[in-house]
Amino acid sequence: EVQLVQSGAEMKKPGESLKISCKGSGYNFNNNWIGWVRQVPGKGLEWMGIIYPDDSDTRYSPSFEGQVTISADKSIGTAYLQWSTLKDSDSAMYFCGSQVDVGFFDHWGQGTLVTV
Amino acid sequence: IVLTQSPATLSLSPGERATLSCRASESISSRSLAWFQQKPGQAPRLLIHSASSRVTGIPDRFSAFGSGTDFTLTISGLEPDDFAVYFCQHYTNSLVYTFGPGTRLEI
């Protein structure tokens, strides 16, 4: 069974750094794109970017390029979303998703709530 | 490419048929269009990929079609569990994805 398990909720202050995680299991983690989606409570979905763990090829939405860093550690099957300097506007729910069977996020994590 | 969804909110009753629209600002490949369903407090769920292909396990009351700039998701015989927010999504050749703003399907 494919599972994506995200790290727990975070409460941080503006200016702090943060790294949240998404651990994949039950599928070939290294050879399937995995990425992140932001959702401000009550608002729509914003696609942030994806990474191909095997070669770390990373694609970002223009809206998020330079604002966050997406990475993956294929030795432990985990993807990350990182901020170096958090802002109030980064407060949101963050979902990870993986493209296992098709070229869209067909498996999702449970979400990580970030409050700044 | 910008995706526009209409209507923003659709109010229907169980048993009725829902028709949701997703329009792209320029012509896109059907292969690059998907539909998601999201219920409150849950992660999105992929329903349809490649404009018209249902994901395994999605009931056949969900159907979708379209090409070029106009895409449609139809839900026939609405069940209480179908009332949710629906998003379309597109990806470019460089694998940059975009969601539409969503349609809220309410009872």
Side-chain angles (χ1 to χ4, degrees):
Chain A
E1 179 194 5
V2 176
Q3 282 198 314
L4 296 176
V5 179
Q6 297 185 227
S7 49
E10 299 275 1
M11 187 168 291
K12 307 290 280 186
K13 292 182 167 57
E16 292 185 331
S17 62
L18 176 64
K19 191 173 190 178
I20 62 175
S21 67
C22 171
K23 183 170 176 58
S25 61
Y27 73 103
N28 183 347
F29 179 85
N30 291 358
N31 297 111
N32 288 280
W33 293 92
I34 186 167
W36 296 91
V37 169
R38 182 173 82 174
Q39 188 169 40
V40 174
K43 302 296 185 183
L45 303 172
E46 300 173 273
W47 186 88
M48 302 177 73
I50 50 173
I51 187 167
Y52 194 77
D54 196 51
D55 62 7
S56 294
D57 184 2
T58 309
R59 314 292 173 94
Y60 289 96
S61 162
S63 300
F64 291 96
E65 180 125 42
Q67 309 304 308
V68 297
T69 301
I70 294 172
S71 61
D73 184 338
K74 57 185 183 181
S75 69
I76 57 172
T78 301
Y80 301 97
L81 178 64
Q82 183 175 1
W83 296 260
S84 57
T85 307
L86 285 162
K87 305 174 210 169
D88 291 342
S89 57
D90 293 318
S91 294
M93 179 71 80
Y94 292 86
F95 293 101
C96 66
S98 64
Q99 299 178 184
V100 177
D101 297 315
V102 297
F104 297 90
F105 287 167
D106 50 0
H107 292 86
W108 293 77
Q110 81 276 20
T112 296
L113 182 64
V114 173
T115 305
V116 183
Chain B
I1 294 175
V2 177
L3 299 179
T4 304
Q5 292 187 243
S6 61
T9 303
L10 184 57
S11 299
L12 293 171
S13 299
E16 292 191 301
R17 178 188 187 94
T19 301
L20 287 67
S21 171
C22 176
R23 180 162 291 173
S25 57
E26 57 188 83
S27 183
I28 61 174
S29 165
S30 297
R31 175 176 51 87
S32 68
L33 196 284
W35 290 92
F36 292 81
Q37 175 194 65
Q38 188 182 31
K39 299 175 186 175
Q42 296 185 17
R45 177 172 71 150
L46 179 65
L47 301 174
I48 303 284
H49 67 89
S50 304
S52 61
S53 297
R54 244 187 338 267
V55 170
T56 301
I58 300 302
D60 61 6
R61 63 178 183 275
F62 290 88
S63 62
F65 61 93
S67 64
T69 58
D70 292 315
F71 299 85
T72 301
L73 173 69
T74 299
I75 313 168
S76 56
L78 282 167
E79 297 192 0
D81 193 50
D82 298 335
F83 291 90
V85 182
Y86 292 84
F87 296 92
C88 59
Q89 187 190 42
H90 157 72
Y91 69 84
T92 67
N93 288 338
S94 52
L95 296 184
V96 174
Y97 291 66
T98 308
F99 285 101
T103 290
R104 179 178 305 277
L105 177 57
E106 62 177 28
I107 297 180

Short mmCIF file of all heavy atoms in Angstrom, two decimals, chain A residues 4-10 18-22 35-41 44-49 64 67-70 80-83 85-97 105 108-116, chain B residues 38 42-44:
data_model
loop_
_atom_site.label_atom_id
_atom_site.label_comp_id
_atom_site.label_asym_id
_atom_site.label_seq_id
_atom_site.Cartn_x
_atom_site.Cartn_y
_atom_site.Cartn_z
N LEU A 4 2.05 8.08 2.24
CA LEU A 4 2.86 9.27 2.43
C LEU A 4 2.53 9.79 3.81
O LEU A 4 1.38 10.12 4.10
CB LEU A 4 2.54 10.33 1.36
CG LEU A 4 2.85 9.96 -0.08
CD1 LEU A 4 2.38 11.06 -1.02
CD2 LEU A 4 4.34 9.71 -0.27
N VAL A 5 3.52 9.87 4.68
CA VAL A 5 3.31 10.31 6.05
C VAL A 5 4.11 11.58 6.29
O VAL A 5 5.34 11.60 6.15
CB VAL A 5 3.73 9.22 7.05
CG1 VAL A 5 3.53 9.72 8.48
CG2 VAL A 5 2.93 7.95 6.83
N GLN A 6 3.39 12.64 6.63
CA GLN A 6 4.01 13.94 6.80
C GLN A 6 4.34 14.20 8.27
O GLN A 6 3.72 13.63 9.18
CB GLN A 6 3.09 15.04 6.27
CG GLN A 6 2.84 14.92 4.78
CD GLN A 6 2.03 16.08 4.23
OE1 GLN A 6 1.08 15.90 3.48
NE2 GLN A 6 2.42 17.30 4.58
N SER A 7 5.27 15.10 8.48
CA SER A 7 5.65 15.49 9.84
C SER A 7 4.54 16.33 10.45
O SER A 7 3.61 16.78 9.77
CB SER A 7 6.97 16.26 9.81
OG SER A 7 6.95 17.28 8.84
N GLY A 8 4.63 16.53 11.75
CA GLY A 8 3.55 17.15 12.49
C GLY A 8 3.47 18.67 12.36
O GLY A 8 4.34 19.31 11.76
N ALA A 9 2.40 19.20 12.92
CA ALA A 9 2.14 20.64 12.85
C ALA A 9 3.28 21.43 13.48
O ALA A 9 3.93 20.98 14.42
CB ALA A 9 0.82 20.96 13.56
N GLU A 10 3.49 22.62 12.92
CA GLU A 10 4.59 23.48 13.38
C GLU A 10 4.06 24.87 13.71
O GLU A 10 3.19 25.39 13.00
CB GLU A 10 5.64 23.61 12.28
CG GLU A 10 6.28 22.31 11.85
CD GLU A 10 7.46 21.92 12.73
OE1 GLU A 10 7.76 22.63 13.70
OE2 GLU A 10 8.07 20.88 12.43
N LEU A 18 12.46 26.58 8.73
CA LEU A 18 11.63 25.39 8.95
C LEU A 18 11.86 24.40 7.82
O LEU A 18 12.06 24.78 6.67
CB LEU A 18 10.14 25.78 8.99
CG LEU A 18 9.14 24.64 9.13
CD1 LEU A 18 9.32 23.92 10.47
CD2 LEU A 18 7.71 25.16 9.00
N LYS A 19 11.82 23.13 8.20
CA LYS A 19 11.89 22.05 7.21
C LYS A 19 10.84 21.02 7.61
O LYS A 19 10.88 20.49 8.73
CB LYS A 19 13.28 21.42 7.23
CG LYS A 19 13.58 20.49 6.08
CD LYS A 19 15.07 20.08 6.15
CE LYS A 19 15.52 19.35 4.92
NZ LYS A 19 16.98 19.00 4.99
N ILE A 20 9.89 20.75 6.72
CA ILE A 20 8.89 19.72 6.98
C ILE A 20 9.15 18.55 6.05
O ILE A 20 9.80 18.69 5.02
CB ILE A 20 7.45 20.25 6.84
CG1 ILE A 20 7.16 20.75 5.43
CG2 ILE A 20 7.20 21.35 7.86
CD1 ILE A 20 5.70 21.18 5.21
N SER A 21 8.63 17.39 6.44
CA SER A 21 8.99 16.18 5.71
C SER A 21 7.78 15.37 5.28
O SER A 21 6.66 15.53 5.80
CB SER A 21 9.92 15.31 6.56
OG SER A 21 9.22 14.82 7.70
N CYS A 22 8.04 14.47 4.34
CA CYS A 22 7.02 13.59 3.79
C CYS A 22 7.70 12.27 3.46
O CYS A 22 8.54 12.23 2.55
CB CYS A 22 6.42 14.22 2.54
SG CYS A 22 5.33 13.16 1.59
N GLY A 35 6.02 15.92 -4.58
CA GLY A 35 6.07 17.36 -4.44
C GLY A 35 5.10 17.89 -3.41
O GLY A 35 4.60 17.14 -2.57
N TRP A 36 4.86 19.20 -3.51
CA TRP A 36 4.14 19.91 -2.45
C TRP A 36 3.07 20.85 -2.99
O TRP A 36 3.25 21.46 -4.06
CB TRP A 36 5.16 20.71 -1.62
CG TRP A 36 6.14 19.85 -0.90
CD1 TRP A 36 7.36 19.44 -1.37
CD2 TRP A 36 5.97 19.26 0.39
NE1 TRP A 36 7.96 18.62 -0.43
CE2 TRP A 36 7.14 18.51 0.65
CE3 TRP A 36 4.97 19.30 1.37
CZ2 TRP A 36 7.32 17.80 1.85
CZ3 TRP A 36 5.14 18.61 2.54
CH2 TRP A 36 6.32 17.87 2.78
N VAL A 37 2.00 20.96 -2.21
CA VAL A 37 0.87 21.84 -2.52
C VAL A 37 0.54 22.64 -1.27
O VAL A 37 0.48 22.08 -0.17
CB VAL A 37 -0.35 21.01 -2.97
CG1 VAL A 37 -1.61 21.87 -3.06
CG2 VAL A 37 -0.07 20.35 -4.32
N ARG A 38 0.32 23.93 -1.43
CA ARG A 38 -0.06 24.79 -0.32
C ARG A 38 -1.56 25.07 -0.35
O ARG A 38 -2.14 25.26 -1.43
CB ARG A 38 0.70 26.12 -0.39
CG ARG A 38 0.40 27.06 0.77
CD ARG A 38 1.29 28.28 0.76
NE ARG A 38 0.81 29.31 -0.16
CZ ARG A 38 1.36 30.52 -0.25
NH1 ARG A 38 2.41 30.83 0.50
NH2 ARG A 38 0.86 31.40 -1.08
N GLN A 39 -2.15 25.16 0.81
CA GLN A 39 -3.56 25.55 0.91
C GLN A 39 -3.75 26.41 2.15
O GLN A 39 -3.66 25.92 3.28
CB GLN A 39 -4.49 24.34 0.96
CG GLN A 39 -5.95 24.72 0.88
CD GLN A 39 -6.87 23.54 0.67
OE1 GLN A 39 -6.68 22.47 1.25
NE2 GLN A 39 -7.87 23.70 -0.18
N VAL A 40 -4.01 27.68 1.90
CA VAL A 40 -4.40 28.58 2.99
C VAL A 40 -5.81 28.19 3.41
O VAL A 40 -6.65 27.92 2.54
CB VAL A 40 -4.33 30.04 2.53
CG1 VAL A 40 -4.88 30.97 3.59
CG2 VAL A 40 -2.89 30.41 2.16
N PRO A 41 -6.10 28.11 4.71
CA PRO A 41 -7.43 27.68 5.15
C PRO A 41 -8.54 28.45 4.45
O PRO A 41 -8.53 29.68 4.39
CB PRO A 41 -7.40 27.95 6.65
CG PRO A 41 -5.97 27.77 7.02
CD PRO A 41 -5.20 28.32 5.85
N GLY A 44 -8.00 27.99 -2.13
CA GLY A 44 -7.75 26.94 -3.10
C GLY A 44 -6.39 26.28 -2.93
O GLY A 44 -5.65 26.54 -1.98
N LEU A 45 -6.08 25.42 -3.90
CA LEU A 45 -4.82 24.67 -3.89
C LEU A 45 -3.79 25.41 -4.74
O LEU A 45 -4.10 25.88 -5.84
CB LEU A 45 -5.05 23.28 -4.48
CG LEU A 45 -6.10 22.41 -3.80
CD1 LEU A 45 -6.35 21.14 -4.60
CD2 LEU A 45 -5.67 22.07 -2.37
N GLU A 46 -2.57 25.47 -4.23
CA GLU A 46 -1.46 26.11 -4.96
C GLU A 46 -0.34 25.08 -5.11
O GLU A 46 0.24 24.64 -4.11
CB GLU A 46 -0.93 27.33 -4.22
CG GLU A 46 -1.96 28.42 -4.00
CD GLU A 46 -1.39 29.51 -3.11
OE1 GLU A 46 -1.50 29.38 -1.89
OE2 GLU A 46 -0.83 30.48 -3.66
N TRP A 47 -0.04 24.71 -6.34
CA TRP A 47 1.04 23.77 -6.61
C TRP A 47 2.37 24.48 -6.44
O TRP A 47 2.61 25.54 -7.04
CB TRP A 47 0.89 23.23 -8.02
CG TRP A 47 1.83 22.16 -8.39
CD1 TRP A 47 1.67 20.82 -8.21
CD2 TRP A 47 3.09 22.31 -9.05
NE1 TRP A 47 2.74 20.14 -8.72
CE2 TRP A 47 3.63 21.04 -9.24
CE3 TRP A 47 3.82 23.42 -9.50
CZ2 TRP A 47 4.87 20.81 -9.86
CZ3 TRP A 47 5.05 23.22 -10.12
CH2 TRP A 47 5.56 21.92 -10.29
N MET A 48 3.26 23.91 -5.60
CA MET A 48 4.52 24.59 -5.30
C MET A 48 5.69 24.06 -6.12
O MET A 48 6.52 24.83 -6.59
CB MET A 48 4.85 24.41 -3.81
CG MET A 48 3.77 24.93 -2.88
SD MET A 48 4.15 24.63 -1.17
CE MET A 48 5.45 25.83 -0.89
N GLY A 49 5.79 22.74 -6.25
CA GLY A 49 6.90 22.16 -6.98
C GLY A 49 7.01 20.68 -6.76
O GLY A 49 6.31 20.11 -5.92
N PHE A 64 6.65 30.22 -6.32
CA PHE A 64 7.38 29.75 -5.15
C PHE A 64 8.88 29.63 -5.35
O PHE A 64 9.62 29.44 -4.38
CB PHE A 64 6.81 28.38 -4.72
CG PHE A 64 5.42 28.49 -4.17
CD1 PHE A 64 4.31 28.25 -4.98
CD2 PHE A 64 5.19 28.84 -2.85
CE1 PHE A 64 3.02 28.37 -4.49
CE2 PHE A 64 3.91 28.96 -2.34
CZ PHE A 64 2.83 28.72 -3.17
N GLN A 67 11.51 31.06 -2.94
CA GLN A 67 10.86 31.26 -1.64
C GLN A 67 11.00 30.02 -0.76
O GLN A 67 10.99 30.12 0.47
CB GLN A 67 9.38 31.57 -1.83
CG GLN A 67 9.09 32.70 -2.80
CD GLN A 67 9.81 33.98 -2.42
OE1 GLN A 67 9.71 34.44 -1.28
NE2 GLN A 67 10.54 34.56 -3.37
N VAL A 68 11.07 28.86 -1.38
CA VAL A 68 11.18 27.59 -0.66
C VAL A 68 12.20 26.70 -1.38
O VAL A 68 12.55 26.98 -2.53
CB VAL A 68 9.83 26.85 -0.59
CG1 VAL A 68 8.80 27.65 0.19
CG2 VAL A 68 9.31 26.52 -1.99
N THR A 69 12.61 25.66 -0.69
CA THR A 69 13.50 24.67 -1.29
C THR A 69 12.88 23.29 -1.10
O THR A 69 12.49 22.92 0.01
CB THR A 69 14.89 24.69 -0.63
OG1 THR A 69 15.45 25.99 -0.78
CG2 THR A 69 15.81 23.66 -1.27
N ILE A 70 12.77 22.57 -2.21
CA ILE A 70 12.29 21.19 -2.18
C ILE A 70 13.49 20.27 -2.34
O ILE A 70 14.33 20.49 -3.22
CB ILE A 70 11.25 20.96 -3.29
CG1 ILE A 70 10.00 21.78 -3.01
CG2 ILE A 70 10.90 19.47 -3.41
CD1 ILE A 70 8.98 21.79 -4.15
N TYR A 80 11.33 16.76 1.36
CA TYR A 80 11.32 17.89 2.29
C TYR A 80 10.87 19.17 1.60
O TYR A 80 11.08 19.36 0.41
CB TYR A 80 12.72 18.12 2.85
CG TYR A 80 13.29 16.94 3.60
CD1 TYR A 80 14.15 16.04 2.96
CD2 TYR A 80 12.98 16.71 4.93
CE1 TYR A 80 14.67 14.94 3.63
CE2 TYR A 80 13.50 15.61 5.62
CZ TYR A 80 14.34 14.74 4.95
OH TYR A 80 14.85 13.65 5.62
N LEU A 81 10.30 20.04 2.40
CA LEU A 81 9.98 21.41 2.00
C LEU A 81 10.58 22.31 3.05
O LEU A 81 10.31 22.14 4.25
CB LEU A 81 8.46 21.59 1.92
CG LEU A 81 7.95 22.98 1.56
CD1 LEU A 81 8.38 23.37 0.15
CD2 LEU A 81 6.42 23.02 1.67
N GLN A 82 11.36 23.28 2.61
CA GLN A 82 12.16 24.06 3.53
C GLN A 82 12.02 25.55 3.28
O GLN A 82 11.96 26.00 2.13
CB GLN A 82 13.63 23.65 3.35
CG GLN A 82 14.62 24.29 4.25
CD GLN A 82 16.01 23.70 4.06
OE1 GLN A 82 16.23 22.80 3.22
NE2 GLN A 82 16.97 24.17 4.82
N TRP A 83 11.98 26.31 4.37
CA TRP A 83 12.02 27.77 4.33
C TRP A 83 13.22 28.25 5.12
O TRP A 83 13.47 27.75 6.23
CB TRP A 83 10.78 28.38 4.99
CG TRP A 83 9.47 28.12 4.36
CD1 TRP A 83 8.77 28.95 3.53
CD2 TRP A 83 8.64 26.96 4.52
NE1 TRP A 83 7.57 28.38 3.17
CE2 TRP A 83 7.47 27.16 3.77
CE3 TRP A 83 8.77 25.77 5.25
CZ2 TRP A 83 6.43 26.22 3.70
CZ3 TRP A 83 7.75 24.83 5.18
CH2 TRP A 83 6.61 25.06 4.43
N THR A 85 13.56 31.68 5.77
CA THR A 85 13.05 32.82 6.52
C THR A 85 11.53 32.83 6.38
O THR A 85 10.99 33.24 5.35
CB THR A 85 13.61 34.15 5.99
OG1 THR A 85 15.03 34.08 5.95
CG2 THR A 85 13.18 35.32 6.88
N LEU A 86 10.83 32.39 7.40
CA LEU A 86 9.37 32.32 7.35
C LEU A 86 8.74 33.69 7.45
O LEU A 86 9.26 34.60 8.12
CB LEU A 86 8.84 31.44 8.47
CG LEU A 86 9.02 29.93 8.29
CD1 LEU A 86 8.87 29.22 9.61
CD2 LEU A 86 8.03 29.39 7.26
N LYS A 87 7.60 33.82 6.77
CA LYS A 87 6.80 35.04 6.85
C LYS A 87 5.40 34.65 7.36
O LYS A 87 4.99 33.48 7.26
CB LYS A 87 6.65 35.67 5.47
CG LYS A 87 7.93 35.95 4.76
CD LYS A 87 7.65 36.42 3.33
CE LYS A 87 8.77 36.01 2.42
NZ LYS A 87 8.49 36.20 1.01
N ASP A 88 4.67 35.65 7.83
CA ASP A 88 3.28 35.39 8.25
C ASP A 88 2.49 34.71 7.14
O ASP A 88 1.66 33.83 7.39
CB ASP A 88 2.59 36.70 8.62
CG ASP A 88 3.14 37.32 9.88
OD1 ASP A 88 3.81 36.61 10.66
OD2 ASP A 88 2.89 38.52 10.11
N SER A 89 2.74 35.15 5.92
CA SER A 89 1.97 34.64 4.77
C SER A 89 2.27 33.19 4.43
O SER A 89 1.60 32.60 3.57
CB SER A 89 2.22 35.52 3.54
OG SER A 89 3.61 35.57 3.26
N ASP A 90 3.25 32.59 5.09
CA ASP A 90 3.54 31.16 4.87
C ASP A 90 2.63 30.26 5.70
O ASP A 90 2.67 29.04 5.57
CB ASP A 90 5.00 30.85 5.21
CG ASP A 90 5.97 31.51 4.25
OD1 ASP A 90 5.69 31.50 3.03
OD2 ASP A 90 6.99 32.05 4.71
N SER A 91 1.81 30.86 6.55
CA SER A 91 0.86 30.07 7.35
C SER A 91 -0.15 29.40 6.43
O SER A 91 -0.85 30.06 5.66
CB SER A 91 0.12 30.98 8.33
OG SER A 91 1.00 31.50 9.30
N ALA A 92 -0.20 28.10 6.49
CA ALA A 92 -1.06 27.33 5.59
C ALA A 92 -0.96 25.85 5.94
O ALA A 92 -0.12 25.44 6.75
CB ALA A 92 -0.62 27.53 4.13
N MET A 93 -1.81 25.07 5.28
CA MET A 93 -1.67 23.61 5.29
C MET A 93 -0.82 23.24 4.08
O MET A 93 -1.05 23.76 2.98
CB MET A 93 -3.03 22.95 5.21
CG MET A 93 -2.98 21.43 5.20
SD MET A 93 -2.50 20.75 6.79
CE MET A 93 -4.07 20.86 7.65
N TYR A 94 0.12 22.36 4.28
CA TYR A 94 0.98 21.90 3.20
C TYR A 94 0.78 20.40 3.02
O TYR A 94 0.91 19.63 3.97
CB TYR A 94 2.44 22.22 3.50
CG TYR A 94 2.71 23.70 3.48
CD1 TYR A 94 2.51 24.48 4.61
CD2 TYR A 94 3.12 24.34 2.31
CE1 TYR A 94 2.71 25.85 4.59
CE2 TYR A 94 3.33 25.71 2.28
CZ TYR A 94 3.12 26.46 3.43
OH TYR A 94 3.31 27.82 3.39
N PHE A 95 0.46 20.03 1.78
CA PHE A 95 0.27 18.63 1.44
C PHE A 95 1.42 18.17 0.54
O PHE A 95 1.82 18.91 -0.36
CB PHE A 95 -1.03 18.41 0.67
CG PHE A 95 -2.29 18.66 1.44
CD1 PHE A 95 -3.00 19.85 1.26
CD2 PHE A 95 -2.80 17.72 2.31
CE1 PHE A 95 -4.18 20.08 1.95
CE2 PHE A 95 -3.98 17.94 3.01
CZ PHE A 95 -4.65 19.13 2.83
N CYS A 96 1.89 16.95 0.79
CA CYS A 96 2.79 16.35 -0.19
C CYS A 96 1.98 15.37 -1.04
O CYS A 96 0.93 14.86 -0.60
CB CYS A 96 3.98 15.65 0.45
SG CYS A 96 3.57 14.19 1.44
N GLY A 97 2.45 15.15 -2.23
CA GLY A 97 1.78 14.23 -3.14
C GLY A 97 2.82 13.52 -3.98
O GLY A 97 3.90 14.06 -4.25
N PHE A 105 -0.60 13.98 -8.95
CA PHE A 105 -0.51 13.47 -7.58
C PHE A 105 -1.68 12.51 -7.32
O PHE A 105 -2.80 12.93 -7.04
CB PHE A 105 -0.56 14.62 -6.58
CG PHE A 105 0.69 15.45 -6.51
CD1 PHE A 105 0.69 16.66 -5.85
CD2 PHE A 105 1.87 15.02 -7.10
CE1 PHE A 105 1.83 17.45 -5.78
CE2 PHE A 105 3.03 15.79 -7.03
CZ PHE A 105 3.01 17.01 -6.36
N TRP A 108 -1.47 11.07 -1.65
CA TRP A 108 -1.28 12.29 -0.89
C TRP A 108 -0.95 11.98 0.58
O TRP A 108 -1.40 10.98 1.13
CB TRP A 108 -2.57 13.13 -0.92
CG TRP A 108 -2.90 13.68 -2.27
CD1 TRP A 108 -3.45 13.00 -3.33
CD2 TRP A 108 -2.71 15.02 -2.71
NE1 TRP A 108 -3.61 13.86 -4.40
CE2 TRP A 108 -3.18 15.10 -4.04
CE3 TRP A 108 -2.22 16.19 -2.10
CZ2 TRP A 108 -3.15 16.29 -4.78
CZ3 TRP A 108 -2.19 17.36 -2.84
CH2 TRP A 108 -2.65 17.41 -4.16
N GLY A 109 -0.18 12.89 1.17
CA GLY A 109 0.02 12.85 2.61
C GLY A 109 -1.18 13.47 3.32
O GLY A 109 -2.10 13.98 2.69
N GLN A 110 -1.12 13.42 4.64
CA GLN A 110 -2.27 13.89 5.45
C GLN A 110 -2.25 15.40 5.67
O GLN A 110 -3.22 15.95 6.19
CB GLN A 110 -2.29 13.16 6.80
CG GLN A 110 -1.34 13.70 7.86
CD GLN A 110 0.08 13.19 7.77
OE1 GLN A 110 0.53 12.71 6.72
NE2 GLN A 110 0.81 13.31 8.87
N GLY A 111 -1.15 16.04 5.29
CA GLY A 111 -1.06 17.49 5.47
C GLY A 111 -0.27 17.87 6.71
O GLY A 111 -0.31 17.17 7.73
N THR A 112 0.44 18.97 6.63
CA THR A 112 1.16 19.55 7.76
C THR A 112 0.74 21.00 7.89
O THR A 112 0.88 21.78 6.94
CB THR A 112 2.69 19.49 7.55
OG1 THR A 112 3.12 18.14 7.49
CG2 THR A 112 3.42 20.22 8.68
N LEU A 113 0.21 21.36 9.03
CA LEU A 113 -0.23 22.73 9.27
C LEU A 113 0.95 23.55 9.80
O LEU A 113 1.56 23.18 10.82
CB LEU A 113 -1.38 22.77 10.26
CG LEU A 113 -1.95 24.15 10.55
CD1 LEU A 113 -2.58 24.76 9.30
CD2 LEU A 113 -2.97 24.09 11.68
N VAL A 114 1.26 24.61 9.09
CA VAL A 114 2.33 25.51 9.51
C VAL A 114 1.69 26.83 9.92
O VAL A 114 0.94 27.44 9.15
CB VAL A 114 3.34 25.73 8.38
CG1 VAL A 114 4.36 26.81 8.77
CG2 VAL A 114 4.05 24.42 8.04
N THR A 115 1.98 27.27 11.13
CA THR A 115 1.47 28.54 11.63
C THR A 115 2.66 29.44 11.95
O THR A 115 3.56 29.02 12.69
CB THR A 115 0.62 28.33 12.90
OG1 THR A 115 -0.42 27.40 12.62
CG2 THR A 115 0.01 29.65 13.36
N VAL A 116 2.67 30.60 11.33
CA VAL A 116 3.76 31.56 11.56
C VAL A 116 3.18 32.77 12.27
O VAL A 116 2.26 33.42 11.77
CB VAL A 116 4.43 31.97 10.25
CG1 VAL A 116 5.60 32.91 10.53
CG2 VAL A 116 4.90 30.75 9.48
N GLN B 38 -11.91 17.59 -3.28
CA GLN B 38 -11.42 17.80 -1.92
C GLN B 38 -12.58 18.03 -0.96
O GLN B 38 -13.42 18.89 -1.20
CB GLN B 38 -10.44 18.97 -1.83
CG GLN B 38 -9.78 19.06 -0.45
CD GLN B 38 -8.84 20.23 -0.30
OE1 GLN B 38 -9.03 21.28 -0.90
NE2 GLN B 38 -7.80 20.05 0.52
N GLN B 42 -9.61 17.20 4.47
CA GLN B 42 -8.93 16.08 3.80
C GLN B 42 -7.99 16.57 2.72
O GLN B 42 -8.12 17.68 2.21
CB GLN B 42 -9.97 15.14 3.18
CG GLN B 42 -10.86 14.45 4.19
CD GLN B 42 -11.78 13.43 3.53
OE1 GLN B 42 -11.56 13.01 2.39
NE2 GLN B 42 -12.81 13.02 4.25
N ALA B 43 -7.06 15.70 2.36
CA ALA B 43 -6.22 15.97 1.20
C ALA B 43 -7.06 15.83 -0.07
O ALA B 43 -8.08 15.13 -0.08
CB ALA B 43 -5.06 14.98 1.16
N PRO B 44 -6.65 16.46 -1.13
CA PRO B 44 -7.35 16.26 -2.40
C PRO B 44 -7.26 14.81 -2.85
O PRO B 44 -6.37 14.06 -2.41
CB PRO B 44 -6.59 17.18 -3.37
CG PRO B 44 -5.89 18.16 -2.51
CD PRO B 44 -5.56 17.42 -1.24
#
